[in-house]
Amino acid sequence: MEPRYAPVSLDVERETLALKRIEAELRRVIVGQDYLLDRLLVGLLARGHVLIEGVPGLAKTLAVKTLAQTLAIAFQRIQFTPDLLPADLVGTLIYDQRTGTFQPRTGPIFTNFLLADEINRAPAKVQSALLEAMEERQVTLGDRTHPLPEPFMVLATQNPIEQEGTYPLAEAQVDRFMLKLRLGYPSRAEEAEILDRMLVEREIAVAPVVDAERLLALRRATDGVYLDPKIRGYVLDLVGATRDPRAAGLGEISALVAYGASPRGTLFLARAAKAMALVRGRGYVIPEDVKEVARDVLRHRVIPTYEAEAEEISSDDLVGRLLDRIPVP
């Protein structure tokens, strides 16, 4: 039976049609990866940055580049390397001999859509420069502050299996990403289709279907998705349980959680659930929307204890236990 929700002034059919056009263009290039494509759309709609983790060859970079091609907005890709400097990312001041003054020269971060490829290969100073810009949405060069363009979104990739020559992101910095995605291998049928499509190398043209103005309208539509007070309470219960499992009736895992999610996690979980509802073609959030994005929002915010790591219990496992035990409205 369809639940009753308060009406909203939102043309769900029109907004969903725009999302389906984006997805159709993505499907021309990307085989499978439903999980990845859905979450990229969620991040796009919810104004959130996305960190994608997976072994090489899973089309992480290709998916992000293809998504950028469907959007008629500015796009930049930066390959992070150990010798990268903050100025290579945000820009610097250049001395102008004609005027005798320093003039700002902005870096590639001044774009709408930034792909930070292999973010964990750059040193901490570069990572901090990027993550500060992600949070503040502005960059300071000299004594002047320069706002970043709107919309602005960072999608970063990292390889979890190779640690040589890498600089792992600190937990506090990873928290600035709305979603942390973990990709697995494709199924045999999907891999067979990849083989059919890509065995002969050819360029697949992707048409831009949404411009900056339309994207901002989609984001405003996402803000208009209805979030019932009971669903808000469910979000608060989930995040609260990550901080104090015992108070939530989960005393058996209290020794396994070192740190829980911050209020930023609460906000991101609610926004991501609203975006997922719109991706699914609804103008209201249901508990399944919250459950669907909960691991992606919380896996990098729930920090296991050494005891949990010794028992090979991951943050995903802990979030899964919370989802199983916290009552659903």
Side-chain angles (χ1 to χ4, degrees), residues 36-105:
L36 172 61
L37 300 186
D38 281 348
R39 271 47 174 194
L40 288 179
L41 291 177
V42 166
L44 193 67
L45 294 173
R47 301 179 178 85
H49 308 293
V50 181
L51 177 61
I52 309 171
E53 185 177 272
V55 299
L58 294 181
K60 302 185 297 295
T61 301
L62 179 62
V64 173
K65 287 176 62 179
T66 306
L67 177 60
Q69 291 171 352
T70 69
L71 308 172
I73 58 178
F75 168 70
Q76 292 282 355
R77 174 188 176 185
I78 303 174
Q79 185 70 42
F80 278 49
T81 56
D83 61 347
L84 201 68
L85 298 175
D88 298 327
L89 178 68
V90 301
T92 187
L93 295 177
I94 303 295
Y95 183 71
D96 189 339
Q97 292 183 340
R98 293 174 301 175
T99 61
T101 60
F102 286 91
Q103 299 296 325
R105 176 171 293 178

Side-chain angles (χ1 to χ4, degrees), residues 10 14-15 18-19 22 44-47 71-73 112 137 148-153 210-224 278:
L10 173 64
R14 185 187 64 180
E15 312 304 345
L19 296 176
I22 296 175
L44 193 67
L45 294 173
R47 301 179 178 85
L71 308 172
I73 58 178
N112 298 120
R137 297 183 187 268
L148 292 171
E150 181 64 26
F152 175 70
M153 181 179 181
V210 171
D211 59 13
E213 183 178 349
R214 187 72 182 92
L215 176 56
L216 292 174
L218 283 168
R219 288 181 167 183
R220 288 192 295 270
T222 305
D223 293 338
L278 192 59

